[in-house]
Amino acid sequence: LGLSGAIYGRDLEMALQPDPLVNHFSAVPVQTAGVVMVRAERFKLVVGFPRDLSGQIDWSDASILDPVSLRLGDVALVLNSTDDALTGRISNNGQTGLSGGFSLTPARDYRLDLDMMPGPDTPAEFVDMLAGFAEPLPGGSYRISDAGRF
């Protein structure tokens, strides 16, 4: 704890359930499986906002169970921050490819851009669901974009 009220930390690790996190951003309610681990190599919290953060969120054995079954494999969100924004880069190794980014400002405004590339083992019902609410991109991938305030 600093004299200014800032909270400093190193080597933080905690486990979370994926459902609340995924459902906050999902266009449709989903049930999930897997374990989410949050790891921060270093961080500084100023008025509850992470500044000077370096870390990663790993969702191991990530799966969507309902409304469709989808194995996402191991999903990684690499985190970094400055005084102006917390940012993250998303990637995975599952049957549907994930890539994209996330940003959050001190005012709690967020933006998510997630590209999903169905693979040959992606269930047809999931591709149909994506086509219903995501933006189709060249090459067969789909983009999910969302912005708002926490």
Side-chain angles (χ1 to χ4, degrees):
L1 185 61
L3 294 175
S4 66
I7 298 171
Y8 297 85
R10 298 190 76 143
D11 301 323
L12 172 73
E13 184 172 292
M14 67 179 148
L16 302 172
Q17 294 298 317
D19 272 355
L21 182 64
V22 173
N23 277 296
H24 182 78
F25 297 104
S26 179
V28 296
V30 297
Q31 290 182 337
T32 62
V35 175
V36 174
M37 292 299 296
V38 178
R39 294 177 180 88
E41 296 168 18
R42 70 177 190 284
F43 66 91
K44 174 183 170 185
L45 294 177
V46 178
V47 191
F49 187 78
R51 300 175 195 264
D52 189 29
L53 173 104
S54 176
Q56 186 160 321
I57 299 174
D58 294 309
W59 182 11
S60 59
D61 297 322
S63 294
I64 296 175
L65 304 175
D66 189 55
V68 296
S69 177
L70 183 65
R71 291 184 325 272
L72 295 171
D74 294 327
V75 178
L77 175 60
V78 177
L79 301 169
N80 287 290
S81 71
T82 63
D83 283 345
D84 298 333
L86 170 65
T87 61
R89 297 297 310 159
I90 302 165
S91 63
N92 79 322
N93 65 354
Q95 66 185 172
T96 295
L98 300 176
S99 63
F102 173 89
S103 66
L104 176 68
T105 69
R108 306 293 190 254
D109 296 319
Y110 72 86
R111 173 135 191 98
L112 172 69
D113 290 302
L114 181 64
D115 293 348
M116 302 183 83
M117 175 59 120
D121 296 330
T122 301
E125 58 270 11
F126 181 74
V127 176
D128 291 343
M129 187 176 77
L130 269 179
F133 69 85
E135 173 191 354
L137 298 174
S141 62
Y142 295 86
R143 175 162 295 155
I144 298 171
S145 295
D146 189 31
R149 179 167 281 175
F150 276 117

